[in-house]
Coordinates of all heavy atoms in Angstrom, one line a residue:
M1239 N -27.5 -9.7 -1.4 CA -26.4 -10.6 -1.7 C -25.8 -11.2 -0.4 O -25.4 -12.4 -0.5 CB -25.2 -10.0 -2.5 CG -24.0 -10.8 -2.5 SD -22.7 -10.0 -3.5 CE -23.2 -10.5 -5.3
G1240 N -26.0 -10.4 0.6 CA -25.4 -11.0 1.9 C -25.0 -10.0 2.9 O -25.2 -8.7 2.6
T1241 N -24.6 -10.4 4.0 CA -24.2 -9.4 5.1 C -22.9 -9.8 5.8 O -22.6 -10.9 5.9 CB -25.3 -9.5 6.2 OG1 -26.6 -9.2 5.6 CG2 -25.1 -8.4 7.3
I1242 N -22.2 -8.8 6.1 CA -21.0 -8.9 6.9 C -21.2 -8.0 8.1 O -21.7 -6.8 8.1 CB -19.8 -8.5 6.1 CG1 -19.5 -9.5 5.0 CG2 -18.5 -8.4 7.1 CD1 -18.4 -9.2 4.2
T1243 N -20.8 -8.6 9.3 CA -21.1 -7.8 10.5 C -19.8 -7.5 11.2 O -18.8 -8.3 11.5 CB -21.9 -8.6 11.5 OG1 -23.1 -9.0 10.9 CG2 -22.2 -7.9 12.9
F1244 N -19.6 -6.1 11.5 CA -18.5 -5.6 12.3 C -19.0 -5.3 13.6 O -20.0 -4.7 13.9 CB -18.1 -4.3 11.6 CG -17.4 -4.4 10.2 CD1 -18.3 -4.4 9.2 CD2 -16.0 -4.5 10.1 CE1 -17.7 -4.7 7.9 CE2 -15.6 -4.6 8.7 CZ -16.4 -4.7 7.7
V1245 N -18.3 -5.9 14.6 CA -18.7 -5.8 16.1 C -17.8 -4.8 16.8 O -16.6 -5.2 16.9 CB -18.7 -7.1 16.7 CG1 -19.3 -7.0 18.2 CG2 -19.7 -8.1 15.9
S1246 N -18.3 -3.8 17.3 CA -17.4 -2.9 18.0 C -17.0 -3.3 19.4 O -17.7 -4.3 19.9 CB -18.2 -1.5 18.2 OG -18.5 -0.9 16.9
Q1247 N -16.1 -2.7 20.0 CA -15.7 -3.2 21.3 C -16.9 -3.1 22.4 O -16.8 -4.0 23.3 CB -14.6 -2.1 21.9 CG -13.2 -2.5 21.4 CD -12.6 -3.6 22.2 OE1 -12.6 -3.6 23.4 NE2 -12.1 -4.7 21.4
D1248 N -17.8 -2.2 22.2 CA -18.9 -2.3 23.2 C -20.0 -3.3 22.9 O -21.0 -3.3 23.5 CB -19.4 -0.9 23.3 CG -20.1 -0.4 22.1 OD1 -20.2 -1.2 21.0 OD2 -20.7 0.7 22.0
G1249 N -19.7 -4.1 21.9 CA -20.7 -5.1 21.5 C -21.7 -4.8 20.5 O -22.5 -5.5 19.9
T1250 N -21.7 -3.5 20.1 CA -22.6 -2.9 19.0 C -22.2 -3.6 17.6 O -21.1 -3.6 17.2 CB -22.5 -1.4 18.9 OG1 -22.8 -0.8 20.0 CG2 -23.5 -0.9 17.8
A1251 N -23.3 -4.2 17.0 CA -23.1 -4.9 15.7 C -23.5 -3.9 14.6 O -24.4 -3.3 14.6 CB -23.9 -6.1 15.6
H1252 N -22.6 -3.8 13.5 CA -22.8 -3.0 12.4 C -22.9 -3.9 11.1 O -21.8 -4.4 10.7 CB -21.7 -2.0 12.2 CG -21.5 -1.1 13.4 ND1 -22.1 0.1 13.6 CD2 -20.7 -1.3 14.4 CE1 -21.7 0.5 14.8 NE2 -20.7 -0.3 15.3
D1253 N -24.1 -4.1 10.7 CA -24.3 -4.9 9.5 C -24.1 -4.1 8.3 O -24.7 -3.1 8.1 CB -25.7 -5.5 9.5 CG -25.9 -6.6 10.7 OD1 -24.9 -7.1 11.1 OD2 -27.0 -6.7 11.0
V1254 N -23.3 -4.6 7.3 CA -23.1 -3.9 6.0 C -23.4 -5.1 4.9 O -23.3 -6.2 5.0 CB -21.8 -3.4 5.8 CG1 -21.4 -2.4 6.9 CG2 -20.7 -4.5 5.6
E1255 N -23.9 -4.5 3.8 CA -24.3 -5.4 2.6 C -23.0 -5.9 2.1 O -22.1 -5.1 1.7 CB -25.2 -4.6 1.6 CG -25.6 -5.5 0.6 CD -26.5 -4.9 -0.5 OE1 -26.9 -3.6 -0.3 OE2 -26.7 -5.4 -1.6
L1256 N -23.0 -7.1 1.8 CA -21.8 -7.8 1.1 C -21.8 -7.5 -0.3 O -22.8 -7.6 -1.0 CB -21.9 -9.3 1.4 CG -20.7 -10.1 0.9 CD1 -20.7 -11.5 1.7 CD2 -20.7 -10.4 -0.5
V1257 N -20.7 -6.9 -0.9 CA -20.6 -6.6 -2.3 C -19.4 -7.5 -2.7 O -18.2 -7.2 -2.3 CB -20.3 -5.1 -2.5 CG1 -20.2 -4.8 -4.0 CG2 -21.5 -4.2 -1.9
D1258 N -19.7 -8.4 -3.6 CA -18.8 -9.3 -4.2 C -17.5 -8.5 -4.7 O -17.7 -7.7 -5.6 CB -19.4 -10.2 -5.1 CG -18.5 -11.4 -5.6 OD1 -17.4 -11.7 -4.8 OD2 -18.8 -12.1 -6.5
G1259 N -16.3 -8.9 -4.2 CA -15.1 -8.3 -4.9 C -14.6 -7.0 -4.1 O -13.5 -6.7 -4.3
E1260 N -15.4 -6.5 -3.3 CA -15.0 -5.3 -2.4 C -14.1 -5.7 -1.3 O -14.5 -6.9 -0.7 CB -16.3 -4.5 -2.0 CG -16.9 -3.8 -3.0 CD -16.3 -2.5 -3.6 OE1 -16.0 -1.7 -2.6 OE2 -16.1 -2.4 -4.8
S1261 N -13.3 -4.9 -0.8 CA -12.5 -5.2 0.4 C -13.5 -5.0 1.5 O -14.3 -4.2 1.5 CB -11.3 -4.5 0.5 OG -11.5 -3.2 0.9
L1262 N -13.3 -5.7 2.6 CA -14.0 -5.4 3.9 C -13.8 -3.9 4.4 O -14.7 -3.4 4.9 CB -13.6 -6.3 4.9 CG -14.5 -7.6 5.1 CD1 -14.5 -8.4 3.8 CD2 -14.3 -8.4 6.3
M1263 N -12.5 -3.4 4.1 CA -12.3 -2.1 4.5 C -13.1 -1.1 3.7 O -13.7 -0.2 4.3 CB -10.8 -1.7 4.3 CG -10.4 -0.3 4.7 SD -10.6 1.0 3.4 CE -9.4 0.6 2.3
D1264 N -13.3 -1.2 2.4 CA -14.0 -0.4 1.6 C -15.6 -0.4 2.0 O -16.2 0.4 2.1 CB -13.9 -0.8 0.1 CG -12.7 -0.2 -0.5 OD1 -12.2 0.8 0.0 OD2 -12.1 -0.8 -1.4
L1265 N -16.0 -1.7 2.4 CA -17.4 -1.9 2.7 C -17.6 -1.1 4.1 O -18.7 -0.5 4.2 CB -17.8 -3.4 2.9 CG -17.8 -4.2 1.6 CD1 -18.1 -5.6 1.9 CD2 -18.8 -3.7 0.7
A1266 N -16.7 -1.2 5.0 CA -16.9 -0.6 6.3 C -16.9 0.9 6.2 O -17.7 1.7 6.7 CB -15.7 -1.0 7.3
T1267 N -15.9 1.4 5.4 CA -15.8 3.0 5.3 C -17.1 3.5 4.5 O -17.5 4.6 4.8 CB -14.4 3.4 4.7 OG1 -14.2 2.8 3.4 CG2 -13.3 3.0 5.6
S1268 N -17.4 2.9 3.4 CA -18.5 3.3 2.7 C -19.8 3.3 3.4 O -20.8 3.9 3.0 CB -18.6 2.7 1.3 OG -18.8 1.4 1.4
N1269 N -19.9 2.5 4.5 CA -21.1 2.4 5.2 C -21.0 2.9 6.6 O -21.9 2.8 7.5 CB -21.5 0.7 5.4 CG -22.0 0.2 4.2 OD1 -23.2 0.4 3.9 ND2 -21.2 -0.5 3.4
G1270 N -20.0 3.7 6.8 CA -19.8 4.5 8.0 C -19.5 3.6 9.3 O -20.0 4.1 10.4
V1271 N -18.9 2.5 9.2 CA -18.6 1.7 10.3 C -17.6 2.4 11.3 O -16.5 2.6 10.7 CB -18.2 0.2 9.9 CG1 -17.8 -0.4 11.2 CG2 -19.2 -0.5 9.2
P1272 N -17.9 2.7 12.4 CA -16.9 3.5 13.1 C -15.8 2.6 13.6 O -15.9 1.4 13.9 CB -17.8 3.9 14.5 CG -18.8 3.0 14.5 CD -19.2 2.5 13.2
G1273 N -14.6 3.1 13.6 CA -13.3 2.4 14.0 C -12.5 1.8 13.0 O -11.6 1.1 13.1
I1274 N -13.0 1.9 11.7 CA -12.2 1.6 10.5 C -11.9 2.8 9.7 O -12.8 3.4 9.1 CB -13.0 0.5 9.5 CG1 -13.4 -0.8 10.3 CG2 -12.1 0.2 8.4 CD1 -12.3 -1.6 10.5
D1275 N -10.6 3.1 9.7 CA -10.2 4.4 9.0 C -9.7 4.2 7.6 O -10.1 5.0 6.7 CB -9.2 5.1 9.8 CG -9.8 5.5 11.2 OD1 -11.0 5.6 11.3 OD2 -9.0 5.5 12.2
G1276 N -8.9 3.2 7.3 CA -8.5 2.9 6.0 C -7.6 4.1 5.4 O -7.7 4.4 4.3
D1277 N -6.7 4.6 6.3 CA -5.9 5.8 5.9 C -5.1 5.7 4.6 O -4.8 6.7 3.9 CB -5.1 6.2 7.1 CG -5.9 6.8 8.3 OD1 -7.0 7.1 8.0 OD2 -5.3 7.0 9.3
C1278 N -4.5 4.4 4.3 CA -3.6 4.2 3.2 C -4.4 3.9 2.0 O -3.8 3.7 0.9 CB -2.5 3.3 3.5 SG -3.0 1.5 3.6
G1279 N -5.7 3.8 2.0 CA -6.5 3.5 0.9 C -6.5 2.0 0.4 O -6.8 1.7 -0.6
G1280 N -5.9 1.1 1.4 CA -6.0 -0.3 1.0 C -4.6 -0.8 0.6 O -4.7 -1.9 0.0
E1281 N -3.6 -0.2 1.0 CA -2.2 -0.6 0.5 C -1.5 -1.5 1.5 O -0.3 -1.8 1.4 CB -1.4 0.6 0.1 CG -2.0 1.4 -1.0 CD -2.1 0.7 -2.3 OE1 -1.3 -0.1 -2.7 OE2 -3.1 0.9 -3.1
A1282 N -2.1 -1.9 2.6 CA -1.6 -2.7 3.7 C -0.4 -1.9 4.3 O 0.6 -2.6 4.7 CB -1.2 -4.0 3.2
A1283 N -0.5 -0.6 4.4 CA 0.5 0.3 4.8 C 0.4 1.1 6.0 O 1.2 1.9 6.5 CB 1.1 1.1 3.7
C1284 N -0.9 1.1 6.6 CA -1.2 1.9 7.7 C -1.7 1.3 9.0 O -1.5 1.7 10.1 CB -2.2 3.0 7.3 SG -3.9 2.4 7.1
G1285 N -2.4 0.1 8.8 CA -2.8 -0.7 10.0 C -4.1 0.0 10.6 O -4.5 -0.5 11.7
T1286 N -4.8 0.7 9.9 CA -6.0 1.4 10.6 C -7.2 0.7 10.1 O -8.4 1.3 10.2 CB -6.1 3.0 10.2 OG1 -6.2 3.1 8.7 CG2 -4.8 3.7 10.7
C1287 N -7.1 -0.4 9.6 CA -8.4 -1.2 9.2 C -8.4 -2.6 9.8 O -8.9 -3.5 9.4 CB -8.3 -1.4 7.7 SG -7.0 -2.4 7.1
H1288 N -7.6 -2.8 11.0 CA -7.4 -3.9 11.7 C -8.9 -4.5 12.2 O -9.7 -3.8 12.8 CB -6.6 -3.6 13.0 CG -6.3 -4.7 13.9 ND1 -5.6 -4.5 15.1 CD2 -6.6 -6.0 13.8 CE1 -5.5 -5.7 15.6 NE2 -6.0 -6.6 14.9
V1289 N -9.0 -5.8 11.9 CA -10.2 -6.5 12.4 C -9.7 -7.9 12.9 O -8.6 -8.3 12.5 CB -11.3 -6.7 11.3 CG1 -11.9 -5.4 10.9 CG2 -10.8 -7.5 10.2
I1290 N -10.5 -8.5 13.8 CA -10.1 -9.7 14.2 C -11.4 -10.7 13.9 O -12.5 -10.4 14.3 CB -10.0 -9.7 15.8 CG1 -8.9 -8.8 16.1 CG2 -9.7 -11.1 16.4 CD1 -8.9 -8.3 17.6
V1291 N -11.0 -11.7 13.1 CA -12.0 -12.6 12.6 C -12.5 -13.6 13.5 O -11.6 -14.1 14.3 CB -11.4 -13.4 11.3 CG1 -12.3 -14.4 10.7 CG2 -11.0 -12.4 10.3
D1292 N -13.8 -13.8 13.7 CA -14.4 -14.9 14.5 C -13.7 -16.3 14.2 O -13.4 -16.5 13.1 CB -15.8 -15.0 14.3 CG -16.8 -14.6 15.3 OD1 -16.2 -13.8 16.2 OD2 -17.9 -14.8 15.3
D1293 N -13.4 -17.0 15.3 CA -12.7 -18.3 15.1 C -13.4 -19.2 14.1 O -12.8 -19.8 13.2 CB -12.7 -19.0 16.4 CG -11.6 -18.5 17.4 OD1 -10.7 -17.8 16.9 OD2 -11.7 -18.8 18.6
E1294 N -14.6 -19.2 14.1 CA -15.4 -20.1 13.2 C -15.3 -19.7 11.7 O -15.7 -20.5 10.8 CB -16.9 -20.2 13.5 CG -17.7 -18.9 13.4 CD -19.1 -19.0 13.9 OE1 -19.3 -18.7 15.1 OE2 -20.0 -19.3 13.1
W1295 N -14.8 -18.5 11.4 CA -14.7 -18.1 10.1 C -13.2 -18.1 9.5 O -13.2 -18.0 8.3 CB -15.3 -16.7 10.0 CG -16.7 -16.6 10.0 CD1 -17.5 -16.4 11.1 CD2 -17.6 -16.8 8.9 NE1 -18.9 -16.4 10.7 CE2 -19.0 -16.7 9.4 CE3 -17.4 -16.9 7.5 CZ2 -20.0 -16.8 8.5 CZ3 -18.6 -17.1 6.7 CH2 -19.8 -17.0 7.2
I1296 N -12.4 -18.2 10.3 CA -10.9 -18.2 9.8 C -10.6 -19.2 8.7 O -9.8 -18.8 7.8 CB -9.9 -18.3 11.0 CG1 -8.6 -17.6 10.6 CG2 -9.8 -19.7 11.5 CD1 -8.6 -16.2 10.5
A1297 N -11.2 -20.3 8.7 CA -11.0 -21.2 7.7 C -11.4 -20.7 6.3 O -10.9 -21.0 5.2 CB -11.6 -22.6 7.9
R1298 N -12.5 -19.9 6.3 CA -13.0 -19.4 5.1 C -12.3 -18.0 4.7 O -12.2 -17.7 3.5 CB -14.5 -19.1 5.1 CG -15.2 -20.5 4.8 CD -16.7 -20.3 5.0 NE -17.0 -20.6 6.3 CZ -18.3 -20.6 6.8 NH1 -19.3 -20.4 6.0 NH2 -18.6 -21.0 8.1
T1299 N -11.9 -17.3 5.6 CA -11.2 -16.0 5.3 C -9.7 -16.3 4.9 O -9.2 -15.5 4.2 CB -11.2 -15.0 6.4 OG1 -10.6 -15.5 7.5 CG2 -12.7 -14.6 6.8
G1300 N -9.2 -17.3 5.4 CA -7.8 -17.6 5.2 C -7.0 -16.7 6.2 O -7.5 -16.0 7.0
T1301 N -5.6 -17.1 6.3 CA -4.8 -16.3 7.2 C -4.1 -15.3 6.6 O -4.0 -15.1 5.3 CB -3.9 -17.3 7.8 OG1 -3.2 -18.0 6.8 CG2 -4.6 -18.3 8.8
R1302 N -3.5 -14.4 7.3 CA -2.8 -13.2 6.7 C -1.5 -13.5 6.0 O -0.8 -14.5 6.3 CB -2.7 -12.1 7.7 CG -1.8 -12.6 8.9 CD -1.8 -11.5 10.0 NE -1.0 -11.9 11.2 CZ -1.3 -12.2 12.4 NH1 -2.7 -12.1 12.7 NH2 -0.5 -12.5 13.4
S1303 N -1.2 -12.7 5.1 CA 0.1 -12.8 4.3 C 1.2 -12.3 5.2 O 1.0 -11.6 6.3 CB -0.1 -12.0 3.1 OG 0.0 -10.7 3.4
D1304 N 2.5 -12.5 4.7 CA 3.7 -12.0 5.4 C 3.6 -10.5 5.6 O 4.0 -9.9 6.6 CB 5.0 -12.5 4.8 CG 5.2 -14.0 5.0 OD1 4.5 -14.6 5.9 OD2 5.9 -14.5 4.2
E1305 N 3.2 -9.9 4.4 CA 3.1 -8.4 4.3 C 2.1 -8.0 5.4 O 2.4 -6.9 6.1 CB 2.7 -8.0 2.9 CG 2.6 -6.5 2.9 CD 2.0 -6.1 1.4 OE1 1.4 -7.0 0.8 OE2 2.3 -5.0 1.0
E1306 N 1.0 -8.5 5.5 CA 0.0 -8.1 6.6 C 0.6 -8.4 7.9 O 0.4 -7.5 8.7 CB -1.3 -9.0 6.4 CG -2.4 -8.6 5.4 CD -3.6 -9.5 5.7 OE1 -4.4 -9.3 6.6 OE2 -3.6 -10.4 4.8
S1307 N 1.1 -9.5 8.1 CA 1.7 -9.7 9.4 C 2.7 -8.7 9.9 O 2.6 -8.3 10.9 CB 2.4 -11.1 9.4 OG 1.3 -12.1 9.4
Q1308 N 3.5 -8.2 9.0 CA 4.5 -7.2 9.3 C 3.9 -6.0 9.8 O 4.3 -5.4 10.7 CB 5.5 -7.0 8.1 CG 6.4 -8.0 7.9 CD 7.3 -7.8 6.5 OE1 7.1 -6.6 5.9 NE2 8.1 -8.6 6.1
M1309 N 2.8 -5.6 9.2 CA 2.0 -4.4 9.7 C 1.3 -4.6 10.8 O 1.4 -3.9 11.8 CB 1.2 -4.0 8.4 CG 0.3 -2.7 8.9 SD 1.2 -1.2 9.3 CE 2.3 -0.9 7.9
I1310 N 0.4 -5.6 10.9 CA -0.5 -5.8 12.0 C 0.1 -6.3 13.4 O -0.3 -6.0 14.4 CB -1.5 -6.9 11.6 CG1 -2.9 -6.4 12.1 CG2 -1.2 -8.3 11.9 CD1 -4.1 -7.0 11.3
E1311 N 1.3 -6.9 13.2 CA 2.1 -7.3 14.4 C 2.6 -6.1 15.2 O 3.0 -6.2 16.4 CB 3.1 -8.3 14.1 CG 2.5 -9.7 13.8 CD 3.4 -10.7 13.3 OE1 4.6 -10.4 13.2 OE2 3.0 -11.8 12.9
M1312 N 2.6 -4.9 14.6 CA 2.9 -3.7 15.4 C 1.8 -3.3 16.3 O 2.0 -2.4 17.2 CB 3.3 -2.6 14.4 CG 4.6 -2.9 13.6 SD 5.2 -1.4 12.8 CE 4.2 -1.5 11.3
S1313 N 0.6 -3.8 16.1 CA -0.5 -3.3 17.0 C -0.4 -4.2 18.4 O -0.3 -5.4 18.3 CB -1.7 -3.6 16.2 OG -2.9 -3.6 17.2
P1314 N -0.6 -3.4 19.4 CA -0.5 -4.1 20.7 C -1.8 -5.0 20.8 O -1.8 -5.8 21.8 CB -0.6 -2.9 21.7 CG -1.0 -1.7 20.9 CD -0.6 -2.0 19.5
E1315 N -2.8 -4.9 20.1 CA -3.9 -5.6 20.1 C -4.0 -6.8 19.1 O -5.0 -7.4 18.9 CB -5.2 -4.7 19.9 CG -5.3 -3.9 21.0 CD -6.7 -3.0 20.8 OE1 -7.8 -3.5 21.1 OE2 -6.6 -2.0 20.3
C1316 N -2.8 -7.2 18.5 CA -2.7 -8.2 17.5 C -3.1 -9.5 18.1 O -2.6 -9.8 19.2 CB -1.3 -8.1 16.9 SG -1.2 -9.4 15.7
A1317 N -4.0 -10.2 17.4 CA -4.5 -11.5 18.0 C -4.1 -12.5 16.9 O -3.8 -12.2 15.7 CB -6.0 -11.5 18.2
A1318 N -4.3 -13.8 17.2 CA -4.0 -14.8 16.2 C -4.8 -14.7 14.9 O -4.3 -14.9 13.8 CB -4.3 -16.2 16.8
N1319 N -6.2 -14.2 15.0 CA -7.0 -14.1 13.9 C -7.1 -12.6 13.4 O -8.0 -12.3 12.6 CB -8.4 -14.5 14.2 CG -8.6 -16.0 14.4 OD1 -7.5 -16.8 14.3 ND2 -9.6 -16.5 15.0
S1320 N -6.1 -11.8 13.6 CA -6.1 -10.4 13.2 C -5.8 -10.4 11.7 O -5.0 -11.2 11.2 CB -4.9 -9.7 13.9 OG -5.3 -9.3 15.3
R1321 N -6.5 -9.5 11.0 CA -6.4 -9.3 9.6 C -6.5 -7.7 9.3 O -7.1 -7.1 10.1 CB -7.5 -9.9 8.8 CG -7.5 -11.5 8.8 CD -6.2 -12.2 8.1 NE -6.0 -11.6 6.8 CZ -6.5 -12.3 5.7 NH1 -7.2 -13.3 5.7 NH2 -6.2 -11.7 4.5
L1322 N -5.9 -7.4 8.2 CA -6.1 -6.0 7.7 C -7.3 -6.2 6.8 O -7.3 -6.8 5.8 CB -4.9 -5.6 6.9 CG -3.5 -5.4 7.7 CD1 -2.4 -4.9 6.7 CD2 -3.7 -4.2 8.7
S1323 N -8.4 -5.4 7.1 CA -9.6 -5.7 6.3 C -9.5 -5.3 4.9 O -10.3 -5.6 4.1 CB -10.8 -4.9 7.0 OG -10.5 -3.6 7.2
C1324 N -8.5 -4.4 4.6 CA -8.3 -4.0 3.3 C -7.7 -5.2 2.3 O -7.8 -5.1 1.1 CB -7.3 -2.9 3.0 SG -5.6 -3.1 3.7
Q1325 N -7.3 -6.2 3.0 CA -6.7 -7.4 2.3 C -7.7 -8.6 2.3 O -7.3 -9.6 1.8 CB -5.4 -7.8 3.0 CG -4.4 -6.7 3.1 CD -4.0 -6.2 1.7 OE1 -3.6 -7.0 0.8 NE2 -4.1 -4.9 1.5
L1326 N -8.8 -8.2 2.8 CA -9.9 -9.4 2.8 C -11.0 -9.0 1.8 O -11.7 -7.9 2.0 CB -10.6 -9.4 4.2 CG -10.0 -10.3 5.3 CD1 -10.7 -10.0 6.6 CD2 -10.2 -11.7 4.9
R1327 N -11.2 -9.8 0.7 CA -12.2 -9.6 -0.3 C -13.5 -10.2 0.1 O -13.5 -11.5 0.4 CB -11.6 -10.1 -1.6 CG -10.5 -9.5 -2.2 CD -10.9 -8.1 -2.9 NE -9.6 -7.3 -2.9 CZ -9.7 -5.9 -2.9 NH1 -10.9 -5.3 -3.0 NH2 -8.7 -5.2 -2.9
A1328 N -14.6 -9.5 -0.1 CA -15.9 -10.1 0.2 C -16.2 -10.9 -1.0 O -16.0 -10.6 -2.2 CB -16.9 -9.1 0.4
T1329 N -16.7 -12.2 -0.6 CA -17.2 -13.2 -1.6 C -18.6 -13.7 -1.1 O -18.8 -13.6 0.1 CB -16.3 -14.3 -1.9 OG1 -16.3 -15.1 -0.7 CG2 -14.9 -13.8 -2.3
P1330 N -19.3 -14.2 -1.9 CA -20.6 -14.8 -1.4 C -20.4 -15.9 -0.3 O -21.2 -16.1 0.5 CB -21.2 -15.4 -2.7 CG -20.6 -14.6 -3.8 CD -19.3 -14.2 -3.4
A1331 N -19.2 -16.6 -0.3 CA -18.9 -17.6 0.7 C -18.7 -17.0 2.0 O -18.8 -17.6 3.1 CB -17.6 -18.3 0.4
L1332 N -18.5 -15.6 2.2 CA -18.3 -14.9 3.5 C -19.7 -14.3 3.9 O -19.7 -13.6 4.9 CB -17.3 -13.9 3.2 CG -15.9 -14.4 3.0 CD1 -14.9 -13.2 3.0 CD2 -15.5 -15.4 4.0
D1333 N -20.8 -14.6 3.3 CA -22.1 -14.1 3.8 C -22.3 -14.6 5.3 O -22.2 -15.8 5.6 CB -23.3 -14.8 3.0 CG -24.7 -14.3 3.4 OD1 -24.7 -13.3 4.2 OD2 -25.6 -14.9 3.1
G1334 N -22.5 -13.7 6.3 CA -22.7 -13.9 7.6 C -21.4 -13.8 8.4 O -21.5 -14.0 9.6
L1335 N -20.4 -13.4 7.8 CA -19.0 -13.3 8.5 C -19.1 -12.2 9.5 O -19.8 -11.2 9.4 CB -18.0 -12.8 7.4 CG -16.6 -12.3 8.0 CD1 -15.9 -13.6 8.7 CD2 -15.7 -11.7 6.8
R1336 N -18.6 -12.5 10.7 CA -18.6 -11.5 11.8 C -17.0 -11.3 12.1 O -16.2 -12.2 12.2 CB -19.1 -12.1 13.1 CG -20.6 -12.2 13.0 CD -21.2 -12.7 14.3 NE -21.2 -12.0 15.5 CZ -22.0 -11.2 15.8 NH1 -23.1 -10.9 14.9 NH2 -21.9 -10.4 16.9
V1337 N -16.6 -9.9 12.2 CA -15.4 -9.6 12.6 C -15.4 -8.6 13.7 O -16.5 -7.9 13.8 CB -14.6 -8.9 11.4 CG1 -14.3 -9.9 10.2 CG2 -15.2 -7.7 10.8
H1338 N -14.4 -8.6 14.5 CA -14.6 -7.7 15.7 C -13.4 -6.6 15.5 O -12.4 -6.8 14.9 CB -14.2 -8.6 16.9 CG -15.2 -9.7 17.1 ND1 -16.3 -9.5 17.9 CD2 -15.3 -10.9 16.7 CE1 -17.1 -10.6 17.9 NE2 -16.4 -11.4 17.2
L1339 N -13.8 -5.5 16.1 CA -12.8 -4.3 16.0 C -11.9 -4.3 17.2 O -12.5 -4.5 18.3 CB -13.6 -3.0 15.9 CG -14.4 -3.0 14.6 CD1 -15.4 -1.7 14.6 CD2 -13.6 -2.9 13.4
P1340 N -10.7 -3.8 17.1 CA -9.9 -3.7 18.2 C -10.3 -2.4 19.0 O -11.0 -1.7 18.5 CB -8.5 -3.6 17.7 CG -8.8 -3.1 16.4 CD -10.0 -3.6 15.9
E1341 N -9.8 -2.2 20.2 CA -10.2 -1.1 21.0 C -9.8 0.2 20.3 O -10.3 1.3 20.1 CB -9.7 -1.1 22.4 CG -10.2 0.0 23.2 CD -9.9 -0.2 24.6 OE1 -9.4 -1.2 25.0 OE2 -10.4 0.8 25.5
F1342 N -8.4 0.1 19.7 CA -7.7 1.2 19.1 C -7.2 0.7 17.8 O -6.7 -0.4 17.7 CB -6.6 1.7 19.9 CG -7.0 2.3 21.3 CD1 -6.8 1.5 22.5 CD2 -7.8 3.5 21.4 CE1 -7.3 2.0 23.7 CE2 -8.2 3.9 22.6 CZ -7.9 3.1 23.8
Q1343 N -7.2 1.6 16.9 CA -6.4 1.3 15.5 C -5.1 2.0 15.6 O -4.9 2.8 16.5 CB -7.2 2.0 14.4 CG -8.5 1.3 14.0 CD -8.4 -0.1 13.5 OE1 -7.3 -0.7 13.1 NE2 -9.5 -0.7 13.2
M1344 N -4.1 1.6 15.0 CA -2.8 2.1 15.0 C -2.8 3.7 14.6 O -3.5 4.1 13.8 CB -1.8 1.3 14.3 CG -1.4 0.1 14.9 SD 0.0 -0.8 14.1 CE -0.8 -1.7 12.7
Ligands
LIG1624 S1 -6.2 0.5 4.7 FE1 -4.2 0.8 5.3 S2 -3.6 -1.2 6.0 FE2 -5.6 -1.4 5.3

């Protein structure tokens, strides 16, 4: 169906199969992507699923909600394109998406 790539701090790329309707956090944890914990199970309440979306993709992923912002802005690594991956739904339009992992999760 497609691929989403999570890029670790050291540049290692982790490709996972895109599953329509799944959150990026679920895709990462079910595929063993290191650095995505998802401790709250996707409730936007822990901040352990932080990713930074490539600039070229932000128009397609959309920007974060106020609820997301409140959580993610507590991270010292918060960037303009930071998202909680549990709040990002995979769709076929995101085939090829690249997101970057922060050095540390909260
Ligand atoms: S899994 Fe907890 S904020 Fe995303």
Side-chain angles (χ1 to χ4, degrees):
M1239 171 175 274
T1241 303
I1242 292 175
T1243 302
F1244 295 81
V1245 183
S1246 298
Q1247 275 284 305
D1248 67 1
T1250 304
H1252 306 273
D1253 291 339
V1254 304
E1255 184 179 351
L1256 187 159
V1257 179
D1258 192 12
E1260 291 282 309
S1261 76
L1262 266 61
M1263 181 276 286
D1264 283 331
L1265 292 177
T1267 56
S1268 63
N1269 285 281
V1271 174
I1274 298 284
D1275 298 329
D1277 288 344
C1278 74
E1281 299 297 323
C1284 70
T1286 64
C1287 66
H1288 180 186
V1289 296
I1290 300 159
V1291 176
D1292 253 13
D1293 284 342
E1294 66 185 87
W1295 284 94
I1296 200 71
R1298 275 175 274 184
T1299 61
T1301 53
R1302 57 187 185 249
S1303 68
D1304 290 344
E1305 181 186 22
E1306 270 187 85
S1307 289
Q1308 286 176 4
M1309 175 57 61
I1310 216 158
E1311 286 172 2
M1312 289 193 279
S1313 169
E1315 295 181 82
C1316 181
N1319 292 353
S1320 287
R1321 295 292 310 268
L1322 296 175
S1323 59
C1324 66
Q1325 303 301 303
L1326 270 171
R1327 294 277 155 207
T1329 69
L1332 297 183
D1333 181 19
L1335 172 65
R1336 286 175 75 84
V1337 297
H1338 300 267
L1339 298 173
E1341 185 170 4
F1342 301 106
Q1343 296 285 357
M1344 285 189 277

